[in-house]
Amino acid sequence: MGIQMILNAKAEYGVPVKIYTKDVDEESLTQLRKMSQLQFIHSHIAVMPDVHLGKGATVGSVIPTKNAIIPAAVGVDIGCGMNALRLSLKASQLPDNLSALRNAIERKVPVGFEMHKQIKSKASTLSPLDKKLQVITDKHPALRRMLRSFDSTWQKQLGTLGGGNHFIELCLDENQDVWVMLHSGSRGLGNVIGTYFIERAKKEAQSRFGHVPDKDLSYFAEGSANFDDYVEAVEWAQEYAFENRREMMRLILEAIRPLLPRFQMTKEAINCHHNYVQQEIHFGENVFVTRKGAIRAGLDEYGIIPGSMGAQSFIVKGKGNPNSFCSCSHGAGRKMSRTKAKHMFNQQDLIQQTQGIECRKDKAVVDEIPSAYKDIHEVMANQDDLIEVVHTLKQVLCIKG
């Protein structure tokens, strides 16, 4: 359907905000207007159809910046994203009762605040991460004081899910093929890195740059020591998040193999971020693109757009649309806060909305009820000029943090 709303800039340095939906609340619009006033935004801000209010920056926004990065726009779940893998199994080869599969995965992959009791990852994975991290913490030793048992914690959390909307699912596609899909990020250390540099950006903005439209839009200017150190740290956290998902996938496959017929992994495997920043060229300029709840959808580039725990999800291929900075939505997007969802719905509502899915159905996860999210089909219709659907998935098993 294309761009449906444009907020035109009024400030001296403002840029337009191009929005791929009409379903956007006033608080998010206010947040987007503030962001558009920053003088280093390149061309415009693109806003995906799963847009909703975020901390620091609006979730679903794609922010191209010249010579600056906004740490709060990247957020604290640095490198959060998705991993999906198709197996050589059909739906008919799954057991009628999936509880044993769910239990096996939960024994292998710690969820919520839990971590592995022992380090699970190989030295070949840990050693490069450790060397790069040492360089970062030598320059910023305060990071080590922000995470209890620093070294053992980040290593034991590699291959763990976390909480909130992070999940592991078994899904079936339109051909009744079985997929494993998961959603997670950079865990405790990514949060620490994000929190630490967000606060440094606020202090730097006050001392060097004067007024910003919102303190959460405080930024580092390219060329400063903080800028270079943040880029180094955020790249580390994004690499860690990628490896975390890969390690989790390995553990999931290890958990389910004894309970299923022999299977192989197909070549269809995707591992993509949706909270991150990287350098790209758009409209003839080399810029830093921050995707806050959005995935890259370059021409023929594969991505994952999950629905809620009771809705369909999609494997997609990008169309490389320049107006979206080659981006698309990262999911359905929340339509209400967790607090509001807990007030509006109860455990029975959750049970009803997740019928046929092997998952937690207790009141602790009511805030993840499908009705708390936007209609994924409407979200997909609003971005049909950004992506094409390759596979449609429906979960049969879901593990929440």
Side-chain angles (χ1 to χ4, degrees):
M1 293 179 70
I3 297 164
Q4 297 184 49
M5 292 178 63
I6 298 179
L7 306 181
N8 286 311
K10 295 180 180 178
E12 181 182 356
Y13 296 107
V15 298
V17 180
K18 300 180 180 181
I19 308 174
Y20 283 80
T21 181
K22 293 180 181 177
D23 182 15
V24 52
D25 63 274
E26 194 57 45
E27 285 183 293
S28 295
L29 291 173
T30 299
Q31 199 171 48
L32 290 164
R33 287 188 184 100
K34 288 180 180 179
M35 193 156 50
S36 73
Q37 295 171 26
L38 295 167
Q39 60 183 338
F40 49 81
I41 304 292
H42 172 58
S43 179
H44 64 275
I45 295 169
V47 182
M48 303 299 102
D50 57 343
V51 56
H52 60 279
L53 189 69
K55 185 176 181 181
T58 315
V59 179
S61 55
V62 184
I63 312 157
T65 55
K66 293 180 66 175
N67 311 118
I69 295 178
I70 310 164
V74 180
V76 296
D77 197 359
I78 301 169
C80 185
M82 300 288 303
N83 194 185
L85 177 66
R86 185 164 66 91
L87 307 180
S88 61
L89 288 174
K90 292 290 187 180
S92 59
Q93 294 176 282
L94 294 176
D96 292 335
N97 189 323
L98 300 177
S99 61
L101 281 173
R102 179 182 157 204
N103 291 337
I105 295 170
E106 289 176 338
R107 285 193 297 269
K108 279 282 188 181
V109 180
V111 303
F113 292 107
E114 299 298 319
M115 67 181 82
H116 294 293
K117 292 182 172 60
Q118 298 173 336
I119 296 169
K120 294 288 186 179
S121 299
K122 296 178 181 178
S124 59
T125 298
L126 292 171
S127 182
L129 288 168
D130 190 39
K131 288 178 182 177
K132 293 175 184 176
L133 182 59
Q134 188 65 51
V135 174
I136 295 165
T137 57
D138 283 349
K139 288 185 282 188
H140 297 274
L143 288 168
R144 289 186 169 271
R145 298 191 293 271
M146 294 173 67
L147 187 65
R148 183 179 296 179
S149 304
F150 186 90
D151 286 311
S152 65
T153 295
W154 75 260
Q155 294 181 58
K156 289 179 180 178
Q157 284 188 340
L158 195 59
T160 66
L161 185 64
N165 62 353
H166 293 163
F167 63 78
I168 298 167
E169 291 183 344
L170 287 185
C171 305
L172 306 177
D173 70 13
E174 67 284 350
N175 300 314
Q176 295 298 290
D177 290 326
V178 177
W179 290 70
V180 181
M181 186 167 71
L182 62 89
H183 171 209
S184 190
S186 51
R187 303 294 285 111
L189 187 47
N191 187 294
V192 162
I193 288 170
T195 300
Y196 174 81
F197 280 101
I198 287 168
E199 291 307 309
R200 288 184 76 89
K202 290 177 182 178
K203 291 176 182 177
E204 183 167 305
Q206 289 171 0
S207 62
R208 292 185 59 191
F209 305 121
H211 175 73
V212 289
D214 189 305
K215 65 180 180 179
D216 285 324
L217 297 177
S218 300
Y219 58 94
F220 294 133
E222 191 168 9
S224 69
N226 275 322
F227 180 94
D228 293 337
D229 290 355
Y230 177 69
V231 169
E232 185 178 31
V234 82
E235 286 179 350
W236 184 91
Q238 288 168 189
E239 182 180 353
Y240 180 86
F242 187 93
E243 293 295 342
N244 181 45
R245 292 191 291 271
R246 188 157 68 174
E247 176 67 9
M248 243 189 300
M249 185 63 77
R250 183 185 71 80
L251 292 171
I252 293 165
L253 297 178
E254 192 176 282
I256 65 177
R257 278 190 188 281
L259 302 175
L260 294 171
R262 190 172 180 177
F263 64 84
Q264 302 294 324
M265 287 77 72
T266 73
K267 292 182 180 179
E268 288 185 289
I270 307 155
N271 194 341
C272 58
H273 299 318
H274 55 228
N275 280 353
Y276 72 112
V277 59
Q278 70 179 17
Q279 283 189 285
E280 299 177 12
I281 296 175
H282 292 281
F283 299 104
E285 294 280 354
N286 190 2
V287 294
F288 290 91
V289 178
T290 298
R291 292 185 174 91
K292 172 81 166 182
I295 63 171
R296 182 170 165 81
L299 184 62
D300 294 333
E301 188 171 355
Y302 281 79
I304 307 163
I305 303 177
S308 66
M309 63 191 290
Q312 291 177 326
S313 298
F314 301 89
I315 306 297
V316 299
K317 189 164 62 172
K319 294 183 176 180
N321 190 309
N323 279 316
S324 72
F325 302 103
C326 300
S327 307
C328 67
S329 81
H330 82 310
R334 296 193 73 92
K335 68 179 180 183
M336 66 181 69
S337 69
R338 295 182 182 279
T339 301
K340 186 175 180 180
K342 286 180 178 179
H343 280 125
M344 286 193 65
F345 302 104
N346 57 37
Q347 186 177 1
Q348 286 304 311
D349 295 322
L350 179 65
I351 291 169
Q352 182 180 6
Q353 292 186 29
T354 57
Q355 285 183 6
I357 303 169
E358 173 61 42
C359 64
R360 285 178 61 187
K361 300 177 190 283
D362 56 89
K363 62 182 182 181
V365 292
V366 167
D367 57 347
E368 281 294 302
I369 192 168
S371 288
Y373 285 83
K374 294 182 180 182
D375 182 343
I376 187 62
H377 297 286
E378 184 177 329
V379 169
M380 295 301 291
N382 284 334
Q383 58 184 339
D384 61 3
D385 62 336
L386 306 182
I387 44 91
E388 64 176 283
V389 174
V390 180
H391 294 292
T392 300
L393 310 183
K394 182 68 175 73
Q395 73 274 74
V396 291
L397 181 154
C398 178
I399 294 169
K400 284 283 184 182

